[in-house]
């Protein structure tokens, strides 16, 4: 490959050598020629096979099979979980289940972890963690008279080992962190942070929302205890698709989650007088699972597995390196700064660009068909997903940003007082 050039021809040459380029055709894309989609870390697009499977489930299994289809549906949360376990998060079968939302699963696992560490009254997380994580943990701490200890994390660089080490003591029951930071994309060292927590006698709960399908995750090998993650981003399972929940094998019999629902019950259809949790990961189910969503999760995992996570990660690194290289030559002089780690080994699937007018710039990009997103206080997040984003699209998006910033054509856009994002 020729050395880096900011010409579009360079991007086209990278695309010509891209072994994964054909996966773009596996998505429904009626208007993709008009849109440069760099927002797969919020909502992934619709795979063709998922569309077909969902139509089949609705028309045949629901429409014709009616309640009889539960015979096939009942195992889906575990079946989809095992696919995610094997192909995406480095876990042996029987440790991942697909259910509920990330928020609800965080609650379930945080409560279960506190109960499993009697006498310990502190939960540790970081002050830049995703809001739902901080809110759920604050709620759990308030309900139980516990302390939520917030460690400071660098908005561009993520959580440091030193900051975590300083926050740990014999009172800490649980450490909850995001594996990839939602704002900067900073990638935490799961093995090392987990080991620190374990040395202090605490359990770990990892938020994998920006990791599943984006970066290789080794939950078993890294010693993680618990994890949650969403499936509507890099897994392309659709808006509100059910989340994943991981509980390490040897903890499953020790941990009891707080929502005692009938889908977590041992002999569910005996309709017995009292709650008796099912063995294994099934006890972490609550109520009737979202079947259409679980089908989409299974298909999402299948598609990623077909492409191969190592191959996807290699392309993702090349794409984000390219974003940073173009930002350096074009955008540094237009008052942008990189708000993500420069070392690709410490970065997930997206890059944040900082600029004082980030909100207006993001809206102006949207007017031209480039879909990125804004995050407070001053960031534009760009997520080139390796399954369907080309280098030429990255070039188009970055060139669009350069033109808008240089011409200041965004200044007519009112500043959203809430700093809201699309
Ligand atoms: C890191 C992280 N955690 C949690 C969530 C939200 O979880 P839920 O699916 O419950 O809305 C998100 C959503 O974007 C996220 O990015």
């Amino acid at each position: 490959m020729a050395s880096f050039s900011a010409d579009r021809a360079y991007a086209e040459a990278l695309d010509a050598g891209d072994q994964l380029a054909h996966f773009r055709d596996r998505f429904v894309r009626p208007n993709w020629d008009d849109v440069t989609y760099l927002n797969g870390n919020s909502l992934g697009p619709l795979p063709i096979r998922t569309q077909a499977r969902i139509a089949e489930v609705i028309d045949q299994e629901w429409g014709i099979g009616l309640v009889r289809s539960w015979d096939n549906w009942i195992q889906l949360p575990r079946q989809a979980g095992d696919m995610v376990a094997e192909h995406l998060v480095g876990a042996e079968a029987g440790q991942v289940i697909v259910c509920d939302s990330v928020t609800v699963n965080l609650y379930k696992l945080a409560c279960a972890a506190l109960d499993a560490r009697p006498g310990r009254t502190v939960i540790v997380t970081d002050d830049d963690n995703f809001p739902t994580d901080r809110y759920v943990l604050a709620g759990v701490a308030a309900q139980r008279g516990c302390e939520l200890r917030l460690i400071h994390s660098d908005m561009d660089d993520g959580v440091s080992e030193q900051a975590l080490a300083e926050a740990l003591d014999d009172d800490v029951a649980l450490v909850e962190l995001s594996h990839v930071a939602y704002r900067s994309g900073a990638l935490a060292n799961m093995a090392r942070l987990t080991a620190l927590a374990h040395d202090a006698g605490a359990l770990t709960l990892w938020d994998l929302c920006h990791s599943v399908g984006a970066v290789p995750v080794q939950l078993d090998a890294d010693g993680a205890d618990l994890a949650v993650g969403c499936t509507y981003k890099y897994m392309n399972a659709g808006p509100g698709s059910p989340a994943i929940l991981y509980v390490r094998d040897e903890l499953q019999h020790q941990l009891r989650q707080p929502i005692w629902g009938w889908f977590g019950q041992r002999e569910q259809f005996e309709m017995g007088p009292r709650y008796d949790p099912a063995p294994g990961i099934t006890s972490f189910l609550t109520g009737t699972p979202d079947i259409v969503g679980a089908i989409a999760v299974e298909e999402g995992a299948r598609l990623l597995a077909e492409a191969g996570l190592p191959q996807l990660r290699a392309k993702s690194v090349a794409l984000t390196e390219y974003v940073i290289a173009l930002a350096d030559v074009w955008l540094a002089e237009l008052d942008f700064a990189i708000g993500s780690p420069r070392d690709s080994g410490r970065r997930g699937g997206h890059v944040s660009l900082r600029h004082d007018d980030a909100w207006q710039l993001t809206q102006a990009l949207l007017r031209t068909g480039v879909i990125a997103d804004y995050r407070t206080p001053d960031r534009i997040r760009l997520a080139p997903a390796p399954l369907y984003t080309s280098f030429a699209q990255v070039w188009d998006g970055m060139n669009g940003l350069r033109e808008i910033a240089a011409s200041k054509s965004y200044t007519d856009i009112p500043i959203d007082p809430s700093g809201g994002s699309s």
Side-chain angles (χ1 to χ4, degrees):
M1 187 65 225
S3 54
F4 172 76
S5 144
D7 293 344
R8 196 173 193 277
Y10 179 78
E12 289 163 6
L14 290 175
D15 286 333
D18 175 13
Q19 304 290 313
L20 299 177
H22 61 98
F23 278 96
R24 185 173 156 74
D25 298 331
R26 305 288 287 278
F27 289 87
V28 173
R29 39 178 229 181
N31 61 347
W32 276 28
D33 293 339
D34 308 326
V35 163
T36 303
Y37 196 60
L38 299 173
N39 209 186
N41 62 340
S42 274
L43 179 68
L46 171 61
I48 292 170
R49 175 91 186 115
T50 302
Q51 187 184 42
R53 276 285 313 275
I54 287 177
E56 189 182 310
V57 169
I58 289 176
D59 295 345
Q60 305 294 320
E61 298 182 20
W62 177 19
I64 296 170
L66 293 167
V67 77
R68 292 167 293 188
S69 295
W70 271 108
D71 288 348
N72 300 327
W73 292 340
I74 201 101
Q75 71 271 10
L76 261 173
R78 279 196 67 149
Q79 191 178 301
D82 282 345
M83 280 205 64
V84 173
E86 180 184 352
H87 298 292
L88 305 180
V89 299
E92 290 292 328
Q95 299 178 101
V96 174
I97 198 145
V98 170
C99 61
D100 301 319
S101 64
V102 170
T103 303
V104 170
N105 287 339
L106 277 170
Y107 178 78
K108 285 152 56 180
L109 294 183
C111 291
L114 283 180
D115 289 341
R117 287 287 179 273
R120 290 179 174 241
T121 55
V122 176
I123 306 171
V124 171
T125 191
D126 73 278
D127 58 2
D128 199 37
N129 205 351
F130 191 78
T132 215
D133 301 55
R134 290 180 284 106
Y135 303 161
V136 166
L137 297 176
V140 169
Q143 284 157 13
R144 290 162 174 255
C146 292
E147 177 196 344
L148 178 61
R149 192 172 288 169
L150 292 179
I151 54 178
H152 180 62
S153 75
D154 186 285
M155 223 183 250
D156 296 345
D157 219 40
V159 178
S160 73
E161 287 172 44
Q162 191 189 341
L164 178 60
E166 283 167 7
L168 291 170
D169 58 31
D170 291 347
D171 292 328
V172 177
L174 177 67
V175 173
E176 194 273 344
L177 297 169
S178 287
H179 184 223
V180 173
Y182 80 101
R183 229 191 286 263
S184 63
L187 174 62
N189 187 320
M190 183 182 286
R192 289 230 285 269
L193 294 171
T194 296
L196 280 176
H198 286 174
D199 287 348
L203 292 167
T204 53
L205 168 50
W206 287 96
D207 181 331
L208 305 178
C209 283
H210 286 270
S211 313
V212 194
V215 297
V217 179
Q218 297 297 335
L219 288 172
D220 286 356
D222 286 349
D225 299 305
L226 311 165
V228 296
C230 61
T231 58
Y232 44 78
K233 299 179 189 290
Y234 295 96
M235 283 194 65
N236 310 306
S241 54
I244 65 162
L245 176 150
Y246 165 90
V247 179
R248 170 178 284 281
D249 199 17
E250 61 257 35
L251 289 172
Q252 290 177 5
H253 68 281
Q254 294 172 31
L255 260 55
R256 180 170 283 204
Q257 60 123 331
I259 303 174
W260 294 7
W262 72 313
F263 268 76
Q265 169 75 357
R266 191 181 294 270
E267 293 296 340
Q268 183 183 4
F269 290 100
E270 281 186 3
M271 307 298 194
R274 69 187 68 81
Y275 179 71
D276 176 18
I281 196 73
T282 305
S283 68
F284 292 87
L285 287 179
T286 56
T288 308
D290 169 358
I291 295 304
V292 174
I295 295 273
V297 171
E298 200 178 36
E299 287 306 325
R302 208 187 303 280
L303 189 57
L304 288 160
E306 190 186 329
L309 212 53
Q311 290 81 349
L312 287 165
R313 173 64 174 161
K315 181 177 169 189
S316 166
V317 167
L319 285 164
T320 54
E321 295 275 300
Y322 187 48
V323 170
I324 291 174
L326 289 175
D328 285 343
V329 293
W330 286 343
L331 301 181
E333 64 197 37
L334 294 169
D335 302 325
F336 286 82
I338 306 294
S340 300
R342 281 183 173 270
D343 172 1
S344 60
R346 297 214 41 250
R347 195 173 63 236
H350 69 266
V351 175
S352 274
L353 299 177
R354 293 166 51 190
H355 190 285
D356 287 347
D357 301 327
W359 159 258
Q360 289 165 297
L361 286 160
T362 311
Q363 295 306 303
L365 273 177
L366 206 53
R367 288 198 295 214
T368 65
V370 179
I371 306 179
D373 70 6
Y374 165 80
R375 282 291 175 263
T376 56
D378 60 353
R379 276 131 217 272
I380 304 171
R381 292 192 310 181
L382 303 168
L387 257 188
Y388 51 83
T389 309
S390 64
F391 289 87
Q393 283 183 306
V394 169
W395 191 93
D396 291 343
M398 293 295 285
N399 186 50
L401 189 54
R402 167 172 73 143
E403 284 175 1
I404 289 165
S407 64
K408 295 213 179 287
S409 63
Y410 62 86
T411 48
D412 63 306
I413 295 174
I415 298 169
D416 183 327
S418 70
S421 88
S422 51

